[in-house]
Amino acid sequence: MCDLCVIQSVKDRMLSRRDLFKGGAALAAAGAIASTTAATPSLAAGASKVEDLTHTYDDKFPTYFGTPGVEIEQKFKFKDSGFNLFQLNLNEHTGTHMDAPLHFSADGQAVDEIPVSNLVVPLCVVHIHEKAAENADAEVTPDDLKAWIGKHGPIPDNACVAMHSGWSKHVNTDKFRNVGDDGKTMHFPGFHIEATQMLLEETTAVGMAVDTLSLDHGPSADFKTHYAWLPQNRWGIENLANLDKVPASGATLVVGAPKHRGGSGGPARIFAMV
């Protein structure tokens, strides 16, 4: 369809909608909508609020490789065409995003193949922000997991275990990537391979999440956690925000994963129901 045809179609639809909502019919429709909305709970039973765990990203958001992860071009503007439309040229692993099992395996689940039942799960937040403040290369260890279990009980079935290192507060600074004096090695927290193995062997957790650029800590050259976790058809989330605003246990994580065929991951809207 030509651009002018699209523009005219949009304008015609806008005029039709204006006519539809004139007079008493609009009042009746609005009343019906209000009645339906009032009768529908906004949250699942037991939840009192929703916390957004997603960073807003643009072409300045830090990426693992240091190059912009998205190009955003406005193709149509409302003042000229009657609607807005942007074109995205996107790296899958940009912003707050999912690592699908396929990301670090030859035949793991692509992002569109992850069961939706594995995307609404119990959230367990392991706090290592105190030691991360002292050591940028801090990692979640088996001792951290044992301490969490000692305080909150067993990790629930099909949970996501998230690391809160406090690193998200650096997202708009050079410290988020934290490149060392050698000009290439990054320094930020992640999951130690022994903690990863503990989760694989002793729990049924389906997800692992971090508030940094990688499931493995910054200096990793072998990505042991990625290679251990993802090929087991578990998923990961990187660059989470606001983990300090949700409880260590009891919240439900909702992962709005993308669904492009054969994808190795992609930016996702992540939130917790508390």
PDB file of all heavy atoms in Angstrom, residues 203-238:
ATOM      1  N   THR A 203      17.873 -27.360  42.236  1.00  0.00           N
ATOM      2  CA  THR A 203      16.607 -26.636  42.098  1.00  0.00           C
ATOM      3  C   THR A 203      16.018 -26.890  40.710  1.00  0.00           C
ATOM      4  O   THR A 203      16.679 -27.428  39.818  1.00  0.00           O
ATOM      5  CB  THR A 203      16.787 -25.112  42.272  1.00  0.00           C
ATOM      6  OG1 THR A 203      17.314 -24.542  41.058  1.00  0.00           O
ATOM      7  CG2 THR A 203      17.723 -24.793  43.430  1.00  0.00           C
ATOM      8  N   THR A 204      14.774 -26.468  40.554  1.00  0.00           N
ATOM      9  CA  THR A 204      14.136 -26.526  39.239  1.00  0.00           C
ATOM     10  C   THR A 204      13.995 -25.118  38.649  1.00  0.00           C
ATOM     11  O   THR A 204      13.136 -24.878  37.781  1.00  0.00           O
ATOM     12  CB  THR A 204      12.752 -27.175  39.328  1.00  0.00           C
ATOM     13  OG1 THR A 204      11.913 -26.386  40.193  1.00  0.00           O
ATOM     14  CG2 THR A 204      12.853 -28.600  39.856  1.00  0.00           C
ATOM     15  N   ALA A 205      14.818 -24.180  39.108  1.00  0.00           N
ATOM     16  CA  ALA A 205      14.761 -22.809  38.592  1.00  0.00           C
ATOM     17  C   ALA A 205      14.866 -22.812  37.074  1.00  0.00           C
ATOM     18  O   ALA A 205      15.667 -23.549  36.490  1.00  0.00           O
ATOM     19  CB  ALA A 205      15.883 -21.968  39.200  1.00  0.00           C
ATOM     20  N   VAL A 206      14.047 -21.987  36.433  1.00  0.00           N
ATOM     21  CA  VAL A 206      14.072 -21.912  34.966  1.00  0.00           C
ATOM     22  C   VAL A 206      14.756 -20.645  34.471  1.00  0.00           C
ATOM     23  O   VAL A 206      15.080 -20.539  33.286  1.00  0.00           O
ATOM     24  CB  VAL A 206      12.657 -21.972  34.369  1.00  0.00           C
ATOM     25  CG1 VAL A 206      12.005 -23.304  34.672  1.00  0.00           C
ATOM     26  CG2 VAL A 206      11.787 -20.812  34.873  1.00  0.00           C
ATOM     27  N   GLY A 207      14.978 -19.678  35.386  1.00  0.00           N
ATOM     28  CA  GLY A 207      15.555 -18.411  34.982  1.00  0.00           C
ATOM     29  C   GLY A 207      16.626 -17.921  35.931  1.00  0.00           C
ATOM     30  O   GLY A 207      16.617 -18.231  37.123  1.00  0.00           O
ATOM     31  N   MET A 208      17.555 -17.165  35.378  1.00  0.00           N
ATOM     32  CA  MET A 208      18.613 -16.505  36.147  1.00  0.00           C
ATOM     33  C   MET A 208      18.673 -15.075  35.637  1.00  0.00           C
ATOM     34  O   MET A 208      18.541 -14.824  34.434  1.00  0.00           O
ATOM     35  CB  MET A 208      19.946 -17.221  35.899  1.00  0.00           C
ATOM     36  CG  MET A 208      21.160 -16.549  36.487  1.00  0.00           C
ATOM     37  SD  MET A 208      22.697 -17.407  35.989  1.00  0.00           S
ATOM     38  CE  MET A 208      22.542 -18.921  36.928  1.00  0.00           C
ATOM     39  N   ALA A 209      18.841 -14.111  36.541  1.00  0.00           N
ATOM     40  CA  ALA A 209      18.802 -12.714  36.127  1.00  0.00           C
ATOM     41  C   ALA A 209      19.851 -11.900  36.872  1.00  0.00           C
ATOM     42  O   ALA A 209      20.213 -12.219  38.009  1.00  0.00           O
ATOM     43  CB  ALA A 209      17.410 -12.132  36.379  1.00  0.00           C
ATOM     44  N   VAL A 210      20.315 -10.833  36.217  1.00  0.00           N
ATOM     45  CA  VAL A 210      21.329  -9.958  36.803  1.00  0.00           C
ATOM     46  C   VAL A 210      20.996  -8.504  36.496  1.00  0.00           C
ATOM     47  O   VAL A 210      20.259  -8.207  35.546  1.00  0.00           O
ATOM     48  CB  VAL A 210      22.744 -10.291  36.270  1.00  0.00           C
ATOM     49  CG1 VAL A 210      23.186 -11.690  36.704  1.00  0.00           C
ATOM     50  CG2 VAL A 210      22.811 -10.171  34.748  1.00  0.00           C
ATOM     51  N   ASP A 211      21.556  -7.606  37.287  1.00  0.00           N
ATOM     52  CA  ASP A 211      21.395  -6.174  37.023  1.00  0.00           C
ATOM     53  C   ASP A 211      22.633  -5.603  36.343  1.00  0.00           C
ATOM     54  O   ASP A 211      22.891  -4.399  36.394  1.00  0.00           O
ATOM     55  CB  ASP A 211      21.064  -5.418  38.307  1.00  0.00           C
ATOM     56  CG  ASP A 211      22.080  -5.654  39.426  1.00  0.00           C
ATOM     57  OD1 ASP A 211      23.058  -6.405  39.227  1.00  0.00           O
ATOM     58  OD2 ASP A 211      21.887  -5.075  40.527  1.00  0.00           O
ATOM     59  N   THR A 212      23.413  -6.475  35.696  1.00  0.00           N
ATOM     60  CA  THR A 212      24.626  -6.100  34.984  1.00  0.00           C
ATOM     61  C   THR A 212      24.514  -6.556  33.529  1.00  0.00           C
ATOM     62  O   THR A 212      23.504  -7.110  33.112  1.00  0.00           O
ATOM     63  CB  THR A 212      25.860  -6.751  35.633  1.00  0.00           C
ATOM     64  OG1 THR A 212      25.687  -8.180  35.592  1.00  0.00           O
ATOM     65  CG2 THR A 212      26.033  -6.304  37.072  1.00  0.00           C
ATOM     66  N   LEU A 213      25.603  -6.383  32.779  1.00  0.00           N
ATOM     67  CA  LEU A 213      25.604  -6.684  31.355  1.00  0.00           C
ATOM     68  C   LEU A 213      25.678  -8.167  31.026  1.00  0.00           C
ATOM     69  O   LEU A 213      25.475  -8.550  29.872  1.00  0.00           O
ATOM     70  CB  LEU A 213      26.797  -5.984  30.681  1.00  0.00           C
ATOM     71  CG  LEU A 213      26.626  -4.492  30.380  1.00  0.00           C
ATOM     72  CD1 LEU A 213      27.973  -3.861  30.066  1.00  0.00           C
ATOM     73  CD2 LEU A 213      25.664  -4.287  29.223  1.00  0.00           C
ATOM     74  N   SER A 214      26.002  -9.013  32.024  1.00  0.00           N
ATOM     75  CA  SER A 214      26.217 -10.421  31.705  1.00  0.00           C
ATOM     76  C   SER A 214      25.926 -11.310  32.903  1.00  0.00           C
ATOM     77  O   SER A 214      26.166 -10.922  34.050  1.00  0.00           O
ATOM     78  CB  SER A 214      27.671 -10.632  31.257  1.00  0.00           C
ATOM     79  OG  SER A 214      27.962 -11.993  31.044  1.00  0.00           O
ATOM     80  N   LEU A 215      25.435 -12.530  32.623  1.00  0.00           N
ATOM     81  CA  LEU A 215      25.260 -13.518  33.690  1.00  0.00           C
ATOM     82  C   LEU A 215      26.605 -13.866  34.323  1.00  0.00           C
ATOM     83  O   LEU A 215      26.684 -14.129  35.521  1.00  0.00           O
ATOM     84  CB  LEU A 215      24.612 -14.787  33.135  1.00  0.00           C
ATOM     85  CG  LEU A 215      23.261 -14.630  32.430  1.00  0.00           C
ATOM     86  CD1 LEU A 215      22.779 -15.995  31.922  1.00  0.00           C
ATOM     87  CD2 LEU A 215      22.220 -14.012  33.353  1.00  0.00           C
ATOM     88  N   ASP A 216      27.657 -13.901  33.517  1.00  0.00           N
ATOM     89  CA  ASP A 216      29.024 -14.076  34.033  1.00  0.00           C
ATOM     90  C   ASP A 216      29.581 -12.724  34.440  1.00  0.00           C
ATOM     91  O   ASP A 216      29.250 -11.697  33.833  1.00  0.00           O
ATOM     92  CB  ASP A 216      29.923 -14.667  32.942  1.00  0.00           C
ATOM     93  CG  ASP A 216      29.592 -16.110  32.625  1.00  0.00           C
ATOM     94  OD1 ASP A 216      30.117 -16.997  33.310  1.00  0.00           O
ATOM     95  OD2 ASP A 216      28.795 -16.340  31.690  1.00  0.00           O
ATOM     96  N   HIS A 217      30.454 -12.706  35.439  1.00  0.00           N
ATOM     97  CA  HIS A 217      30.999 -11.408  35.845  1.00  0.00           C
ATOM     98  C   HIS A 217      31.918 -10.858  34.752  1.00  0.00           C
ATOM     99  O   HIS A 217      32.361 -11.572  33.837  1.00  0.00           O
ATOM    100  CB  HIS A 217      31.685 -11.502  37.215  1.00  0.00           C
ATOM    101  CG  HIS A 217      32.991 -12.221  37.238  1.00  0.00           C
ATOM    102  ND1 HIS A 217      33.872 -12.102  38.293  1.00  0.00           N
ATOM    103  CD2 HIS A 217      33.587 -13.074  36.368  1.00  0.00           C
ATOM    104  CE1 HIS A 217      34.940 -12.841  38.054  1.00  0.00           C
ATOM    105  NE2 HIS A 217      34.789 -13.441  36.897  1.00  0.00           N
ATOM    106  N   GLY A 218      32.190  -9.563  34.850  1.00  0.00           N
ATOM    107  CA  GLY A 218      32.876  -8.834  33.793  1.00  0.00           C
ATOM    108  C   GLY A 218      34.175  -9.435  33.278  1.00  0.00           C
ATOM    109  O   GLY A 218      34.396  -9.483  32.061  1.00  0.00           O
ATOM    110  N   PRO A 219      35.087  -9.903  34.168  1.00  0.00           N
ATOM    111  CA  PRO A 219      36.380 -10.400  33.690  1.00  0.00           C
ATOM    112  C   PRO A 219      36.309 -11.755  32.988  1.00  0.00           C
ATOM    113  O   PRO A 219      37.322 -12.206  32.435  1.00  0.00           O
ATOM    114  CB  PRO A 219      37.208 -10.528  34.983  1.00  0.00           C
ATOM    115  CG  PRO A 219      36.483  -9.748  36.009  1.00  0.00           C
ATOM    116  CD  PRO A 219      35.045  -9.800  35.628  1.00  0.00           C
ATOM    117  N   SER A 220      35.161 -12.409  32.991  1.00  0.00           N
ATOM    118  CA  SER A 220      35.070 -13.756  32.431  1.00  0.00           C
ATOM    119  C   SER A 220      35.473 -13.767  30.959  1.00  0.00           C
ATOM    120  O   SER A 220      34.995 -12.961  30.158  1.00  0.00           O
ATOM    121  CB  SER A 220      33.649 -14.297  32.566  1.00  0.00           C
ATOM    122  OG  SER A 220      33.530 -15.546  31.920  1.00  0.00           O
ATOM    123  N   ALA A 221      36.332 -14.724  30.644  1.00  0.00           N
ATOM    124  CA  ALA A 221      36.731 -14.921  29.245  1.00  0.00           C
ATOM    125  C   ALA A 221      36.168 -16.214  28.684  1.00  0.00           C
ATOM    126  O   ALA A 221      36.276 -16.471  27.479  1.00  0.00           O
ATOM    127  CB  ALA A 221      38.254 -14.923  29.133  1.00  0.00           C
ATOM    128  N   ASP A 222      35.581 -17.050  29.541  1.00  0.00           N
ATOM    129  CA  ASP A 222      35.093 -18.360  29.093  1.00  0.00           C
ATOM    130  C   ASP A 222      33.578 -18.525  29.217  1.00  0.00           C
ATOM    131  O   ASP A 222      33.016 -19.526  28.784  1.00  0.00           O
ATOM    132  CB  ASP A 222      35.787 -19.488  29.866  1.00  0.00           C
ATOM    133  CG  ASP A 222      35.734 -19.304  31.375  1.00  0.00           C
ATOM    134  OD1 ASP A 222      34.848 -18.548  31.852  1.00  0.00           O
ATOM    135  OD2 ASP A 222      36.567 -19.896  32.081  1.00  0.00           O
ATOM    136  N   PHE A 223      32.877 -17.573  29.838  1.00  0.00           N
ATOM    137  CA  PHE A 223      31.413 -17.564  29.942  1.00  0.00           C
ATOM    138  C   PHE A 223      30.881 -18.896  30.493  1.00  0.00           C
ATOM    139  O   PHE A 223      29.921 -19.470  29.975  1.00  0.00           O
ATOM    140  CB  PHE A 223      30.770 -17.260  28.587  1.00  0.00           C
ATOM    141  CG  PHE A 223      31.186 -15.938  28.007  1.00  0.00           C
ATOM    142  CD1 PHE A 223      32.149 -15.879  26.998  1.00  0.00           C
ATOM    143  CD2 PHE A 223      30.641 -14.764  28.478  1.00  0.00           C
ATOM    144  CE1 PHE A 223      32.545 -14.664  26.476  1.00  0.00           C
ATOM    145  CE2 PHE A 223      31.023 -13.535  27.960  1.00  0.00           C
ATOM    146  CZ  PHE A 223      31.987 -13.484  26.953  1.00  0.00           C
ATOM    147  N   LYS A 224      31.505 -19.357  31.565  1.00  0.00           N
ATOM    148  CA  LYS A 224      31.132 -20.665  32.120  1.00  0.00           C
ATOM    149  C   LYS A 224      29.670 -20.734  32.533  1.00  0.00           C
ATOM    150  O   LYS A 224      29.007 -21.753  32.327  1.00  0.00           O
ATOM    151  CB  LYS A 224      32.028 -20.992  33.321  1.00  0.00           C
ATOM    152  CG  LYS A 224      33.444 -21.371  32.953  1.00  0.00           C
ATOM    153  CD  LYS A 224      34.243 -21.758  34.198  1.00  0.00           C
ATOM    154  CE  LYS A 224      35.653 -22.191  33.824  1.00  0.00           C
ATOM    155  NZ  LYS A 224      36.448 -22.559  35.028  1.00  0.00           N
ATOM    156  N   THR A 225      29.167 -19.656  33.127  1.00  0.00           N
ATOM    157  CA  THR A 225      27.773 -19.672  33.561  1.00  0.00           C
ATOM    158  C   THR A 225      26.832 -19.715  32.366  1.00  0.00           C
ATOM    159  O   THR A 225      25.858 -20.477  32.344  1.00  0.00           O
ATOM    160  CB  THR A 225      27.474 -18.466  34.462  1.00  0.00           C
ATOM    161  OG1 THR A 225      28.045 -18.713  35.758  1.00  0.00           O
ATOM    162  CG2 THR A 225      25.979 -18.236  34.630  1.00  0.00           C
ATOM    163  N   HIS A 226      27.098 -18.907  31.346  1.00  0.00           N
ATOM    164  CA  HIS A 226      26.281 -18.962  30.135  1.00  0.00           C
ATOM    165  C   HIS A 226      26.249 -20.382  29.553  1.00  0.00           C
ATOM    166  O   HIS A 226      25.177 -20.906  29.221  1.00  0.00           O
ATOM    167  CB  HIS A 226      26.836 -18.011  29.067  1.00  0.00           C
ATOM    168  CG  HIS A 226      26.381 -16.597  29.188  1.00  0.00           C
ATOM    169  ND1 HIS A 226      27.015 -15.675  29.992  1.00  0.00           N
ATOM    170  CD2 HIS A 226      25.356 -15.925  28.593  1.00  0.00           C
ATOM    171  CE1 HIS A 226      26.415 -14.496  29.882  1.00  0.00           C
ATOM    172  NE2 HIS A 226      25.395 -14.626  29.032  1.00  0.00           N
ATOM    173  N   TYR A 227      27.426 -20.984  29.427  1.00  0.00           N
ATOM    174  CA  TYR A 227      27.516 -22.294  28.777  1.00  0.00           C
ATOM    175  C   TYR A 227      26.950 -23.423  29.632  1.00  0.00           C
ATOM    176  O   TYR A 227      26.539 -24.462  29.107  1.00  0.00           O
ATOM    177  CB  TYR A 227      28.963 -22.601  28.402  1.00  0.00           C
ATOM    178  CG  TYR A 227      29.409 -21.948  27.117  1.00  0.00           C
ATOM    179  CD1 TYR A 227      30.405 -20.977  27.114  1.00  0.00           C
ATOM    180  CD2 TYR A 227      28.820 -22.296  25.904  1.00  0.00           C
ATOM    181  CE1 TYR A 227      30.818 -20.374  25.937  1.00  0.00           C
ATOM    182  CE2 TYR A 227      29.222 -21.697  24.718  1.00  0.00           C
ATOM    183  CZ  TYR A 227      30.221 -20.741  24.735  1.00  0.00           C
ATOM    184  OH  TYR A 227      30.619 -20.140  23.562  1.00  0.00           O
ATOM    185  N   ALA A 228      26.911 -23.226  30.945  1.00  0.00           N
ATOM    186  CA  ALA A 228      26.315 -24.238  31.820  1.00  0.00           C
ATOM    187  C   ALA A 228      24.794 -24.088  31.893  1.00  0.00           C
ATOM    188  O   ALA A 228      24.061 -25.075  31.878  1.00  0.00           O
ATOM    189  CB  ALA A 228      26.914 -24.149  33.223  1.00  0.00           C
ATOM    190  N   TRP A 229      24.318 -22.865  31.952  1.00  0.00           N
ATOM    191  CA  TRP A 229      22.907 -22.588  32.241  1.00  0.00           C
ATOM    192  C   TRP A 229      22.012 -22.666  30.998  1.00  0.00           C
ATOM    193  O   TRP A 229      21.013 -23.388  30.970  1.00  0.00           O
ATOM    194  CB  TRP A 229      22.789 -21.205  32.873  1.00  0.00           C
ATOM    195  CG  TRP A 229      21.417 -20.842  33.354  1.00  0.00           C
ATOM    196  CD1 TRP A 229      20.530 -19.997  32.749  1.00  0.00           C
ATOM    197  CD2 TRP A 229      20.762 -21.321  34.532  1.00  0.00           C
ATOM    198  NE1 TRP A 229      19.374 -19.897  33.483  1.00  0.00           N
ATOM    199  CE2 TRP A 229      19.497 -20.705  34.589  1.00  0.00           C
ATOM    200  CE3 TRP A 229      21.134 -22.191  35.552  1.00  0.00           C
ATOM    201  CZ2 TRP A 229      18.589 -20.943  35.607  1.00  0.00           C
ATOM    202  CZ3 TRP A 229      20.228 -22.427  36.574  1.00  0.00           C
ATOM    203  CH2 TRP A 229      18.984 -21.812  36.611  1.00  0.00           C
ATOM    204  N   LEU A 230      22.358 -21.929  29.971  1.00  0.00           N
ATOM    205  CA  LEU A 230      21.455 -21.782  28.831  1.00  0.00           C
ATOM    206  C   LEU A 230      21.225 -23.093  28.057  1.00  0.00           C
ATOM    207  O   LEU A 230      20.083 -23.356  27.645  1.00  0.00           O
ATOM    208  CB  LEU A 230      21.962 -20.681  27.897  1.00  0.00           C
ATOM    209  CG  LEU A 230      21.981 -19.270  28.506  1.00  0.00           C
ATOM    210  CD1 LEU A 230      22.550 -18.276  27.507  1.00  0.00           C
ATOM    211  CD2 LEU A 230      20.593 -18.830  28.957  1.00  0.00           C
ATOM    212  N   PRO A 231      22.226 -23.924  27.837  1.00  0.00           N
ATOM    213  CA  PRO A 231      21.964 -25.165  27.086  1.00  0.00           C
ATOM    214  C   PRO A 231      21.013 -26.135  27.786  1.00  0.00           C
ATOM    215  O   PRO A 231      20.558 -27.101  27.168  1.00  0.00           O
ATOM    216  CB  PRO A 231      23.364 -25.783  26.934  1.00  0.00           C
ATOM    217  CG  PRO A 231      24.297 -24.632  27.003  1.00  0.00           C
ATOM    218  CD  PRO A 231      23.678 -23.719  28.024  1.00  0.00           C
ATOM    219  N   GLN A 232      20.708 -25.892  29.062  1.00  0.00           N
ATOM    220  CA  GLN A 232      19.754 -26.737  29.788  1.00  0.00           C
ATOM    221  C   GLN A 232      18.321 -26.239  29.610  1.00  0.00           C
ATOM    222  O   GLN A 232      17.427 -26.600  30.378  1.00  0.00           O
ATOM    223  CB  GLN A 232      20.122 -26.768  31.276  1.00  0.00           C
ATOM    224  CG  GLN A 232      21.516 -27.277  31.560  1.00  0.00           C
ATOM    225  CD  GLN A 232      21.740 -28.671  31.012  1.00  0.00           C
ATOM    226  OE1 GLN A 232      20.896 -29.544  31.177  1.00  0.00           O
ATOM    227  NE2 GLN A 232      22.877 -28.879  30.347  1.00  0.00           N
ATOM    228  N   ASN A 233      18.112 -25.417  28.594  1.00  0.00           N
ATOM    229  CA  ASN A 233      16.810 -24.797  28.313  1.00  0.00           C
ATOM    230  C   ASN A 233      16.314 -23.964  29.487  1.00  0.00           C
ATOM    231  O   ASN A 233      15.110 -23.896  29.772  1.00  0.00           O
ATOM    232  CB  ASN A 233      15.772 -25.830  27.869  1.00  0.00           C
ATOM    233  CG  ASN A 233      15.875 -26.126  26.375  1.00  0.00           C
ATOM    234  OD1 ASN A 233      16.430 -25.325  25.626  1.00  0.00           O
ATOM    235  ND2 ASN A 233      15.355 -27.250  25.958  1.00  0.00           N
ATOM    236  N   ARG A 234      17.274 -23.336  30.159  1.00  0.00           N
ATOM    237  CA  ARG A 234      16.976 -22.259  31.097  1.00  0.00           C
ATOM    238  C   ARG A 234      17.265 -20.933  30.390  1.00  0.00           C
ATOM    239  O   ARG A 234      18.090 -20.873  29.487  1.00  0.00           O
ATOM    240  CB  ARG A 234      17.866 -22.347  32.335  1.00  0.00           C
ATOM    241  CG  ARG A 234      17.287 -23.156  33.475  1.00  0.00           C
ATOM    242  CD  ARG A 234      17.605 -24.600  33.414  1.00  0.00           C
ATOM    243  NE  ARG A 234      17.342 -25.232  34.720  1.00  0.00           N
ATOM    244  CZ  ARG A 234      17.495 -26.508  34.967  1.00  0.00           C
ATOM    245  NH1 ARG A 234      17.902 -27.331  34.000  1.00  0.00           N
ATOM    246  NH2 ARG A 234      17.245 -27.007  36.161  1.00  0.00           N
ATOM    247  N   TRP A 235      16.596 -19.880  30.818  1.00  0.00           N
ATOM    248  CA  TRP A 235      16.822 -18.577  30.209  1.00  0.00           C
ATOM    249  C   TRP A 235      17.494 -17.631  31.191  1.00  0.00           C
ATOM    250  O   TRP A 235      17.536 -17.861  32.404  1.00  0.00           O
ATOM    251  CB  TRP A 235      15.519 -17.967  29.685  1.00  0.00           C
ATOM    252  CG  TRP A 235      14.335 -17.987  30.620  1.00  0.00           C
ATOM    253  CD1 TRP A 235      13.282 -18.856  30.587  1.00  0.00           C
ATOM    254  CD2 TRP A 235      14.075 -17.100  31.728  1.00  0.00           C
ATOM    255  NE1 TRP A 235      12.389 -18.567  31.587  1.00  0.00           N
ATOM    256  CE2 TRP A 235      12.848 -17.488  32.301  1.00  0.00           C
ATOM    257  CE3 TRP A 235      14.757 -16.021  32.279  1.00  0.00           C
ATOM    258  CZ2 TRP A 235      12.287 -16.841  33.407  1.00  0.00           C
ATOM    259  CZ3 TRP A 235      14.216 -15.366  33.385  1.00  0.00           C
ATOM    260  CH2 TRP A 235      12.989 -15.780  33.927  1.00  0.00           C
ATOM    261  N   GLY A 236      18.035 -16.550  30.638  1.00  0.00           N
ATOM    262  CA  GLY A 236      18.654 -15.516  31.459  1.00  0.00           C
ATOM    263  C   GLY A 236      18.083 -14.151  31.124  1.00  0.00           C
ATOM    264  O   GLY A 236      17.541 -13.935  30.047  1.00  0.00           O
ATOM    265  N   ILE A 237      18.204 -13.236  32.095  1.00  0.00           N
ATOM    266  CA  ILE A 237      17.846 -11.832  31.868  1.00  0.00           C
ATOM    267  C   ILE A 237      19.018 -10.977  32.338  1.00  0.00           C
ATOM    268  O   ILE A 237      19.567 -11.201  33.424  1.00  0.00           O
ATOM    269  CB  ILE A 237      16.577 -11.424  32.625  1.00  0.00           C
ATOM    270  CG1 ILE A 237      15.372 -12.216  32.139  1.00  0.00           C
ATOM    271  CG2 ILE A 237      16.310  -9.926  32.455  1.00  0.00           C
ATOM    272  CD1 ILE A 237      14.128 -12.004  32.961  1.00  0.00           C
ATOM    273  N   GLU A 238      19.378 -10.010  31.518  1.00  0.00           N
ATOM    274  CA  GLU A 238      20.476  -9.103  31.856  1.00  0.00           C
ATOM    275  C   GLU A 238      19.980  -7.660  31.874  1.00  0.00           C
ATOM    276  O   GLU A 238      19.004  -7.315  31.221  1.00  0.00           O
ATOM    277  CB  GLU A 238      21.616  -9.281  30.848  1.00  0.00           C
ATOM    278  CG  GLU A 238      22.251 -10.667  30.961  1.00  0.00           C
ATOM    279  CD  GLU A 238      23.141 -11.067  29.815  1.00  0.00           C
ATOM    280  OE1 GLU A 238      22.991 -10.502  28.702  1.00  0.00           O
ATOM    281  OE2 GLU A 238      23.986 -11.965  30.012  1.00  0.00           O
TER     282      GLU A 238
END
